[in-house]
């Protein structure tokens, strides 16, 4: 049994597109600026294992496979505790950058089993994860 989730959001950061892109493609350093990313292990040129934990007491273990890394589009395939894709679209606003994020995933196992009851809580947890991303990214790219 699998349950699907789709998440999206748009944010603006005070940094040029190339700086934002540079930080987003550097997965190994995510734990330095994204509090919910606990660890990243490079598995090859296009692959990394990522452990992340937001506010709820469970850690997600996922493998990211880069599908597209060139600005303005970043895209990864996600496998493991989540299966699906995540995409960033970066828009150059001069000294600022707009980030549009879309993630479409399915969950299995115990998360799928409890999903009908706790879906709003899981969506809230993801929102906290992305708030940590945006806040950390804004600090990391500050020029």
């Amino acid at each position: 049994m699998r349950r699907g989730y789709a998440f999206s959001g748009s944010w603006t950061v005070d940094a040029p597109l190339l700086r934002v892109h540079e930080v987003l493609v550097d997965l190994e350093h995510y734990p330095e600026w994204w509090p919910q990313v606990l660890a990243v292990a490079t598995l090859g040129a296009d692959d990394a294992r990522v452990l992340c934990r937001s506010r709820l007491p469970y850690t997600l273990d996922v493998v990211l496979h880069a599908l597209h890394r060139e600005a303005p589009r970043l895209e990864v395939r996600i496998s493991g505790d989540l299966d699906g894709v995540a995409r960033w679209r970066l828009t150059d606003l001069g000294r600022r950058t707009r980030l549009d994020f879309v993630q479409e995933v399915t969950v299995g196992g115990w998360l799928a089993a409890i999903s009908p009851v706790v879906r709003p809580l899981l969506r809230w947890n993801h929102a906290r994860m992305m708030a940590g991303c945006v806040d950390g990214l804004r600090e990391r790219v500050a020029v």
Side-chain angles (χ1 to χ4, degrees):
M1 169 180 31
R2 301 216 50 97
R3 304 272 184 196
Y5 285 85
F7 304 101
S8 63
S10 296
W11 304 273
T12 302
V13 296
D14 292 328
L17 183 143
L18 290 178
R19 175 66 180 134
V20 173
H21 176 265
E22 174 184 272
V23 171
L24 288 177
V25 297
D26 187 11
L27 290 176
E28 285 184 31
H29 291 98
Y30 275 26
E32 295 173 10
W33 58 268
W34 192 341
Q36 293 82 6
V37 175
L38 306 178
V40 176
T42 300
L43 302 175
D46 294 326
D47 301 288
R49 182 177 180 194
V50 179
L51 301 178
C52 50
R53 180 184 186 119
S54 190
R55 301 295 290 266
L56 295 178
Y58 63 88
T59 299
L60 291 175
D61 184 351
V62 296
V63 173
L64 304 181
H65 174 76
L67 298 173
H68 197 277
R69 288 184 220 197
E70 301 301 318
R73 182 172 63 100
L74 306 173
E75 184 172 2
V76 295
R77 183 175 54 236
I78 304 167
S79 60
D81 289 338
L82 305 175
D83 288 304
V85 296
R87 296 177 199 91
W88 289 101
R89 165 80 51 193
L90 309 178
T91 303
D92 187 350
L93 303 175
R95 294 176 43 187
R96 303 173 77 209
T97 303
R98 176 185 166 110
L99 298 98
D100 295 300
F101 177 78
V102 174
Q103 182 179 16
E104 297 163 340
V105 294
T106 62
V107 297
W110 67 271
L111 273 177
I114 67 170
S115 200
V117 175
V118 298
R119 181 175 285 271
L121 192 57
L122 296 177
R123 295 188 69 75
W124 169 84
N125 197 54
H126 185 271
R128 300 291 52 83
M129 173 93 179
M130 294 311 295
C133 170
V134 173
D135 290 345
L137 181 62
R138 284 184 173 133
E139 288 183 27
R140 186 74 169 198
V141 300
V143 290

